[in-house]
Amino acid sequence: MKAVLVDTGPIVAYLNGRDRHHPWAVDAFKQVRPPLLTCESVLSEAVFLLGSIPSGGERVMELVTRGVVQ
């Protein structure tokens, strides 16, 4: 299995339906096998950027809890 690294942009686009890259991110997440690897800085930035969306930060952390992102 190949490891897939994920940065802030795809996470934000995946969770924000109003992001112009949302359709691409949804498709990309469907094509890779979890867990996607990242770091604390990426998660922190994603939580910050999704702060204006209801439950945005919680949805980021839910990806971690569900094992989608590690």
Side-chain angles (χ1 to χ4, degrees):
M1 180 173 99
K2 293 182 181 180
V4 176
L5 300 176
V6 65
D7 200 7
T8 307
I11 294 172
V12 170
Y14 178 73
L15 295 175
N16 181 359
R18 297 179 65 186
D19 189 290
R20 68 184 175 130
H21 298 292
H22 178 72
W24 170 85
V26 169
D27 186 53
F29 270 68
K30 287 179 183 175
Q31 293 181 36
V32 295
R33 290 183 61 183
L36 303 166
L37 305 179
T38 196
C39 64
E40 292 88 354
S41 314
V42 166
L43 296 174
S44 175
E45 185 177 24
V47 168
F48 174 77
L49 291 173
L50 292 168
S52 63
I53 295 174
S55 302
E58 289 86 2
R59 293 177 65 203
V60 172
M61 297 316 297
E62 183 180 312
L63 292 176
V64 175
T65 302
R66 290 185 10 228
V68 175
V69 174
Q70 184 178 43

